[in-house]
Amino acid sequence: MKHPRYPHVFEPITYGPLRLKNRIIGLPMMSGLSTPDGRVTKELVAHMGARAKTGVGLVYVGDSDLDHKHGLTHYTPLDLSYEGNTGGFTDLVDEVHRYGAKIGIEVNHGGDYAYDAINSSGRRLAVSVNPDIPPRYPQQRDPIIIDRAIMDELVASYVGAADRLMRAGFDALMLHCGHGWLLSQFLSKRANRRTDEYGGSLENRMRFPLEVLKAVHEKVGGRMAVDVRVSTGGDLSPWGDDDIEEVITFLHAASPYVTGANISVGDQFLFDTTEYMIQSHYLPHMVNTKWAERVKAAGPDVVVSCSGSVVTVAEAEEILAGGRADMVGMGRATLVDYLHITKAFRGWENEIRPCLRCAHCTDRLFYFKPIRCAVNPLVGREYQYHDIPLARVKKKVMVVGGGPAGMEATQWLVKRGHDVVLYEKGDRLGGMLHVASALPDKYDLARYTEWQIRMTTECGARIVLGHEVGPDDIRREAPDAVLLAIGAELSHPPIPGIMGKNVVAAADVDTGTAPVGDRVVIMGAGQTGSECAIPLAREGKEVVLIDMYPRDKYEQSWMGNQAAMSILRLHRELGVTVILDSKIVQITDAGVKYLRTDGSEGFAEADTVINALGMEVPYDKIGELISVVPETYCIGDCFGDKMDIDTAVMTGFTYALEV
């Protein structure tokens, strides 16, 4: 019997030797949860079990390396070359199978773009000498060009890893042939400058990847599903539309050896395309699906799956029903809610936590941190918080502030059995989420805001709106514990003219409550100011951002932030002027005077000046409230660490468990 709402998603599929219960693939995502030397940990096992629990048919462990010493692709990938890892691999298999899903693993080698920050041996394997591709790290030596002997080593490594994983019980492999890694370097016109039988024509460039696929198929074919992940430059390809045609030709040639192909977009050597590898909220949902549709229509005999901002089961159903793919890959959607697919199957869509597409989960890996989710506080900590205990002593708890931290805390306090009252000084819950989600590109955050308010309203807490709490209110409620989530306030540095009539807050501009002239200066080029600039520039306004941040470090400071890549691109496209290395010294009716680091003065004319200089913790207000009840905690912005949604959610969750 077909599912009444999602008949295509929940239709089982034969996938090589596998029978999958539905058409959803949990895409490979790096977690940073294995050890630095590539061993399986209890944390990784619990994390993969949680992803399987979402209800996916097949879930992949993220990038895992054939050569852990010289071929690293990310921070702490699994080492597939070490026989001693087999026991840990078995633990992963058992945990995922426990939830009725099949398990695969992404197999990779960094090649000329290997991650060499931890082990600086400098052995850099390159397909060919290519001056367009500089070393990723300064300590890397000149590349070693891959010859036939090294090719044989690599083929043996792929086969050995496949055999090891098959013996551990894995159901599927995904060989990475995209995103600029080793096998895609052979396929790439730009990276492959060889003049032998492995370079030049497409037939030659795909020769070695096909040798690898054929050897792996001969070892495990019929007993494991063997997939490939391929990527196209899409509309951004420097060599035009034939990029996708080459992908299609490669998949036709690979079809005797593979079960399926996951179609992605982006190449790390082509910086402008990487925005499509992990999409921010500035790109549409299902943004890369058209390329999977092209592949499927071309008819290679493989199961075609798409990837790229498919965040709901309804979107997956739309893709499958339209014949655009055979299966649908979902990555972040399997993190944000650990019952996502199951809730959709049962008709509980209103309970599914929406994904912000903020890429907080992947951005952290750039800074050698384990995976987390901005709005699901369990991600990466599934082993630590496998069971959330009920409170040993039921308490009356007062939460002051109904923003993201206060709402998150309230829900967990109720789940743990406490008697909770939530006070919010405004006339609705949500706090600064309403401001943060007001911009047109923030529709994912708007969905989350609506969901979080609904879940808080329905959780069973007593909610008091329109009342700003003072010390006497806390005494009157007489709680056993208090959680302060009163947020932060706009900063007003001592700049002459900052309180002038032509100065408005970025929050008021974003929500449309402040008028803005045609010439705009935004004070502060951080994320608040930078995002505020985009809709204004789209309206045709002349927008200037001014910040003290050093120019030589500005774009580097945004590295690892997927949203920043989109923001910087939009600034270029829309003509936003960014003035750095400059301190604002005065605001006048005519504009903003600033002082450059070289001592020279500048002046930016403006009809409207926007304050995006950050927020300040209201320590005086906190001081009045924190001393009333001995057990009082500060959460969210008034925690004073970072003023963002992930800190709000994490502190709300963490301190709700301390009460």
Side-chain angles (χ1 to χ4, degrees), residues 187-251:
L187 292 168
S188 168
K189 288 180 181 178
R190 184 169 184 268
N192 187 341
R193 304 290 179 86
R194 299 177 74 105
T195 57
D196 62 3
E197 68 270 32
Y198 292 95
S201 68
L202 175 60
E203 180 182 3
N204 285 352
R205 284 183 278 118
M206 65 185 187
R207 191 183 306 278
F208 181 66
L210 290 175
E211 289 179 6
V212 170
L213 293 174
K214 183 174 185 288
V216 169
H217 171 75
E218 289 174 349
K219 187 66 177 180
V220 302
R223 290 175 288 178
M224 300 179 77
V226 179
D227 303 339
V228 290
R229 170 170 261 194
V230 292
S231 58
T232 170
D235 297 324
L236 300 172
S237 171
W239 44 81
D241 192 55
D242 65 341
D243 182 24
I244 187 63
E245 295 303 325
E246 290 202 347
V247 168
I248 291 168
T249 301
F250 170 65
L251 290 177

Side-chain angles (χ1 to χ4, degrees), residues 517-565:
D518 291 331
R519 297 175 303 171
V520 181
V521 169
I522 301 177
M523 301 185 296
Q527 189 151 349
T528 297
S530 294
E531 291 195 316
C532 180
I534 292 169
L536 298 175
R538 283 174 176 158
E539 294 173 14
K541 299 182 187 298
E542 182 183 311
V543 183
V544 176
L545 287 159
I546 303 178
D547 201 291
M548 294 176 61
Y549 210 85
R551 179 167 293 280
D552 61 347
K553 297 180 180 179
Y554 178 64
E555 291 204 9
Q556 184 180 0
S557 72
W558 292 71
M559 292 287 286
N561 184 321
Q562 296 301 128
M565 296 173 63

Side-chain angles (χ1 to χ4, degrees), residues 422-463:
L422 168 62
Y423 275 80
E424 163 56 39
K425 67 179 180 181
D427 59 0
R428 58 179 178 173
L429 296 176
M432 289 300 292
L433 284 176
H434 293 291
V435 174
S437 63
L439 294 174
D441 294 300
K442 293 294 194 73
Y443 52 90
D444 292 300
L445 183 55
R447 290 174 57 239
Y448 170 78
T449 301
E450 179 185 345
W451 175 87
Q452 186 72 311
I453 291 172
R454 183 175 65 253
M455 299 304 291
T456 305
T457 302
E458 297 174 357
C459 76
R462 177 164 61 93
I463 298 173

Side-chain angles (χ1 to χ4, degrees), residues 566-578:
S566 298
I567 292 169
L568 295 173
R569 171 181 58 82
L570 288 166
H571 283 181
R572 292 192 298 269
E573 293 175 357
L574 296 168
V576 173
T577 300
V578 182

